[in-house]
Amino acid sequence: MRLSRPLAALFISSSIPAAYAWGAAGHEIIATIAQMYLHPSIVPTICDILDYSPDDATTTQPQPCHLAPISTWADKFRFKMRWSSALHYVGPLDDHPSQTCLFPGERGWAGSRGGNVLDGIKNVTSLLEDWTRGEANDGTANEALKFLIHFMGDLHMPLHLTGRDRGGNSDKVLWSGRQTNLHSLWDGLLIAKAIRTVPRNYSRPLPYPDVEHALRGTIYDSYIRRIMWEGVFQKWSDQVPEWFSCPEATPASAGEIGIWQQVVMNWKRLSGGKQGVEIGPDTDVVCPYHWAKPIHALNCDVVWPKELDEPPYGGGIKFADEDDGEEDAAGRPPKPHPPLLELDTPKYAGVIEDTMVVEKLLAQSGIRLAGILNYLFLKDAARS
Ligand code: ADE
Ligand code: ZN
Ligand code: ZN
C-alpha cells in the first residue's frame, strides 16, 4: 500500500511531547552499525540525498558523510513537526504488559490511520522508492531518509510498541536511587550504564576494517565493538541472516488477525463498538510488523516489571499521587507517597545485561536499516 503525500498532511497528532525514542546514544549506535553494512556503491547516493539540506543546518555533513549525526534529527525537530510525533511509536489497543501482550488484539490499533511507526517506516520507504524512479524531489528524499534512519531505531525500542501508560513514560521508578520512569530507563539509562561498564579491552581496534571504518571516535566506540564482537560475530551469528528477511506472504492490515477475527471486528464496528484503526500490510522486503512482533513480546518477558502491578507499587493500593508531604489545612497528616521500585538490581537490570537484550535490539535495528537502504539504492547505483 502506498500512502499519499505530503508527509505532513497525513499525520495530524495532538499527543503530548514526552520521551520520543532511544536517546541520542541509541540512535547513533544503531546508525553506526548500519553504516558498517552499507554497500560501498550506495554511499555516494546516500551522501547526495543527505547533503541536500533544504532549510536546516543539521544535514550539513561533517565530512565524511555518516548516518549517525542525522539519526536524531526527527527527535530534535519534533516540536517543529508536531504532526510527526505519533510516528515514533505504535499502540495496540488492550495491550497491557506485563500481564497481557497483544500485538494487536481484536480491536486493532490506537491512533489515526497511518499515524504510527509501522506505517511511518513503510511510507518513508515508498517515498524513497519514488525518488529512485525520479518521481519524488530531493527535498522529499532528504526528509524521508532522515525519518527512516530514526524510525527504524524507534521500532526496535520495546516501549515504543505499547501504548500502556504512554509507553511507560508515566511509570515512575528508581534507577540507582534516583527517580526516573520506565521509558527513560529504556531510552537511555540502560545504554548509558552499558557504555560505562564496557571492558577496557574494547578500546583497542577490532581486526575488522568495516567495523573500524564506521566508528567515529566517540564514547560509543568501545560499546559498539563489544556488540559486534560478542553479539553479531558470536552469540547471534547464526540468526543474523534471518534478521534481514521478511515472510513471503504477510498478513494484511490487522497483523496476524485471522479471517474470523476480522469478521468479528467488522461486526463490532457495525454494532457501534469503539474500534481501532488498521495498519498497512508489510511487504516482502520491508516488514516492520513482522520485525516488531517479537520485540513487542519483550514487554511481557523482561521490560515491564511485574511488581508495578502488585502491592506495594501498584495493584490497587491508593496513594496520594502528587502529594507535597505537608499537612493539609485541617491539620491532617500528609498521605504517604507510593514507594518506587528500584530497577538497577540483579533481578531486573542484571537479567537484561546478562542476556544482552538491549545490544541485540541495537544490532538488529542497524542491520535491518542497512538492508532497507541497500535494497533501495543498489538498484539506483546499478543504473548510474
Ligand atoms: N506516547 C504515547 N505512547 C508512546 C510510546 N509508546 N512511546 C513514546 N511516546 C509515546
Ligand atoms: Zn523517535
Ligand atoms: Zn522513547
Side-chain angles (χ1 to χ4, degrees):
M1 185 188 68
R2 171 128 325 124
L3 301 168
S4 58
R5 282 151 280 160
L7 282 172
L10 269 169
F11 312 110
I12 314 295
S13 149
S14 58
S15 64
I16 306 151
Y20 272 80
W22 294 114
H27 282 287
E28 292 193 26
I29 291 163
I30 289 166
T32 303
I33 295 173
Q35 188 89 20
M36 296 169 195
Y37 287 87
L38 293 183
H39 192 280
S41 69
I42 74 161
V43 174
T45 309
I46 288 182
C47 298
D48 281 351
I49 297 175
L50 292 177
D51 215 31
Y52 179 84
S53 45
D55 51 15
D56 69 80
T58 55
T59 47
T60 315
Q61 288 284 310
Q63 51 67 53
C65 106
H66 199 289
L67 302 178
I70 42 97
S71 64
T72 51
W73 171 87
D75 275 345
K76 286 194 197 124
F77 283 78
R78 67 190 190 230
F79 297 113
K80 267 201 195 167
M81 306 183 294
R82 282 186 59 80
W83 54 269
S84 70
S85 68
L87 299 178
H88 294 247
Y89 56 88
V90 64
L93 290 172
D94 308 319
D95 181 43
H96 196 86
S98 64
Q99 299 100 323
T100 313
C101 271
L102 297 171
F103 199 71
E106 282 186 10
R107 296 196 307 139
W109 309 89
S112 55
R113 207 181 164 91
N116 62 72
V117 69
L118 306 174
D119 286 322
I121 287 171
K122 285 171 289 197
N123 188 35
V124 293
T125 306
S126 87
L127 288 171
L128 287 165
E129 260 183 310
D130 290 350
W131 180 85
T132 62
R133 290 192 299 259
E135 293 165 13
N137 65 36
D138 292 347
T140 302
N142 174 278
E143 291 211 342
L145 181 54
K146 288 187 289 189
F147 275 125
L148 177 63
I149 294 165
H150 182 86
F151 291 157
M152 280 301 288
D154 286 351
L155 182 78
H156 289 74
M157 164 27 168
L159 289 169
H160 279 238
L161 305 178
T162 180
R164 183 181 175 189
D165 302 344
R166 293 164 48 247
N169 271 300
S170 327
D171 295 283
K172 292 179 190 162
V173 295
L174 294 179
W175 181 248
S176 300
R178 286 170 202 257
Q179 186 177 311
T180 180
N181 68 63
L182 186 61
H183 194 104
S184 299
L185 180 66
W186 274 80
D187 263 354
L189 294 169
L190 286 170
I191 294 178
K193 180 177 178 191
I195 291 170
R196 279 197 310 274
T197 54
V198 181
R200 279 184 155 277
N201 52 333
Y202 288 108
S203 56
R204 284 199 306 275
L206 295 180
Y208 290 94
D210 287 346
V211 171
E212 292 300 320
H213 192 67
L215 297 178
R216 295 179 308 140
T218 70
I219 52 161
Y220 316 132
D221 286 6
S222 301
Y223 182 45
I224 297 171
R225 287 192 186 105
R226 173 165 176 246
I227 296 174
M228 299 307 294
W229 183 261
E230 286 178 38
V232 175
F233 299 146
Q234 292 182 52
K235 195 171 160 65
W236 316 306
S237 61
D238 293 347
Q239 317 166 18
V240 172
E242 289 157 32
W243 292 356
F244 289 105
S245 62
C246 295
E248 256 169 44
T250 42
S253 55
E256 278 176 3
I257 288 185
I259 187 78
W260 289 112
Q261 275 166 298
Q262 293 204 27
V263 171
V264 172
M265 252 176 101
N266 286 337
W267 173 75
K268 285 193 183 159
R269 184 177 297 124
L270 286 170
S271 57
K274 191 181 172 308
Q275 296 301 319
V277 299
E278 296 182 354
I279 55 162
D282 281 352
T283 74
D284 52 3
V285 262
V286 182
C287 51
Y289 172 78
H290 170 76
W291 294 328
K293 206 168 165 52
I295 301 169
H296 170 265
L298 292 172
N299 285 315
C300 281
D301 298 340
V302 289
V303 177
W304 211 287
K306 301 201 179 355
E307 291 89 338
L308 289 183
D309 288 312
E310 294 164 357
Y313 307 104
I317 298 205
K318 288 273 172 279
F319 293 95
D321 194 23
E322 291 300 330
D323 196 351
D324 57 11
E326 301 279 327
E327 286 185 357
D328 69 8
R332 282 184 292 259
K335 297 197 194 102
H337 283 276
L340 296 181
L341 176 65
E342 170 64 55
L343 290 180
D344 194 3
T345 59
K347 183 173 174 221
Y348 186 81
V351 170
I352 290 164
E353 288 156 17
D354 293 346
T355 49
M356 292 183 71
V357 181
V358 172
E359 290 74 19
K360 184 171 171 185
L361 292 167
L362 298 173
Q364 285 180 317
S365 178
I367 290 177
R368 286 173 177 152
L369 170 60
I372 298 179
L373 297 176
N374 287 338
Y375 155 75
L376 280 170
F377 300 121
L378 264 176
K379 297 180 290 188
D380 197 51
R383 261 201 308 273
S384 58

